[in-house]
Amino acid sequence: RHRSGTENPRHHQKERRKAMSISIITPAVSEPLSLTDVKEFLRVDHSDDDTTLAIMISAARELCEQYTRQILMTTTIEEFYDMFPDYTPADKDIIYLSRGPVQSVSSVKYIDDAGDEITINSSKYRTDLISQPSRIISEDGWFSTKDTTNAVIVEYVVGYSSASDVPAPLRQGMLLVIADMYENRIDSVKRLPTASEYLWNPFRVFTF
């Protein structure tokens, strides 16, 4: 079931990065910061800007997630690959999940050569949810897939279970971003407040 060949492993890595995509199945039902949190930080004591601040909270959270590749609140996502990842001989049987922190892996599916969607029995792989990025490790090699897009589908639950579980640096970085948005309501050349980058950098997830 293993693929063989003499292709450069680095070429494989590049292909897998391009082939991977994600889709949100069940979005988060709450934000890591409340409107009260933000208004206290900004020292805003009126409700005139509540709608605007709510939008800024969502925008800051999405910016944090894009920068760190961490999903802040519990979300179910599907991650798609055109084929099972094949990085190097040492880790060819490993799928590295692109988002964290992973709570659980719901399923690993693939489209077989006949075009049928097959769910792999969980006894055929192990999960490492402690490492960053989290890993799914095949016990006996992955399977041959149909030559089509999105032939491998991994569904998993990711994010922190409550706002209080979200690390303080991520929340503080969001507050600084919101303050910048609130005080400077025009487009800016800079991407992020520098302090937010320093706060978020230790939490960034890097995948192959």
Side-chain angles (χ1 to χ4, degrees):
R1 290 180 294 184
H2 293 304
R3 294 181 182 82
S4 61
T6 59
E7 294 90 339
N8 187 325
R10 292 183 179 178
H11 178 65
H12 273 297
Q13 293 177 16
K14 186 179 293 185
E15 286 183 347
R16 299 310 174 269
R17 284 197 297 268
K18 290 181 178 178
M20 186 275 295
S21 61
I22 66 170
S23 174
I24 294 177
I25 303 302
T26 307
V29 297
S30 61
E31 295 287 355
L33 292 174
S34 69
L35 187 60
T36 300
D37 294 331
V38 172
K39 292 175 74 171
E40 287 180 354
F41 182 77
L42 298 177
R43 299 180 181 177
V44 172
D45 58 5
H46 57 80
S47 58
D48 297 352
D49 294 332
D50 283 6
T51 300
T52 298
L53 289 173
I55 294 171
M56 290 179 177
I57 290 171
S58 296
R61 187 252 310 154
E62 290 184 16
L63 188 61
C64 179
E65 291 177 338
Q66 291 166 7
Y67 186 81
T68 63
R69 303 187 85 177
Q70 296 262 7
I71 302 297
L72 299 192
M73 301 299 291
T74 298
T75 302
T76 301
I77 67 176
E78 283 184 332
E79 190 156 308
F80 299 89
Y81 302 84
D82 287 347
M83 61 188 73
F84 283 104
D86 185 9
Y87 303 106
T88 67
D91 58 4
K92 62 185 175 182
D93 294 333
I94 299 175
I95 297 174
Y96 291 91
L97 300 177
S98 69
R99 299 297 189 272
V102 177
Q103 296 183 23
S104 62
V105 174
S106 305
S107 64
V108 181
K109 303 177 182 180
Y110 70 100
I111 307 300
D112 68 9
D113 293 327
D116 297 320
E117 183 177 277
I118 307 297
T119 299
I120 301 174
N121 191 296
S122 59
S123 65
K124 299 295 184 181
Y125 56 83
R126 292 174 286 119
T127 59
D128 169 16
L129 308 185
I130 297 175
S131 298
Q132 291 285 358
S134 294
R135 305 179 296 167
I136 302 174
I137 305 147
S138 172
E139 295 286 9
D140 190 32
W142 296 115
F143 300 84
S144 175
T145 60
K146 184 177 178 65
D147 185 14
T148 185
T149 57
N150 301 327
V152 177
I153 311 105
V154 180
E155 181 179 320
Y156 58 103
V157 180
V158 65
Y160 298 93
S161 57
S162 68
S164 61
D165 291 331
V166 177
L170 297 179
R171 288 160 51 89
Q172 182 65 23
M174 282 182 60
L175 287 169
L176 294 174
V177 168
I178 292 167
D180 186 62
M181 290 177 177
Y182 189 70
E183 294 167 8
N184 303 289
R185 303 192 188 190
I186 58 173
D187 194 14
S188 175
V189 174
K190 62 182 180 181
R191 256 184 72 203
L192 286 171
T194 303
S196 293
E197 292 191 43
Y198 285 135
L199 288 164
W200 291 350
N201 278 339
F203 297 90
R204 299 184 81 181
V205 176
F206 295 96
T207 54
F208 288 84

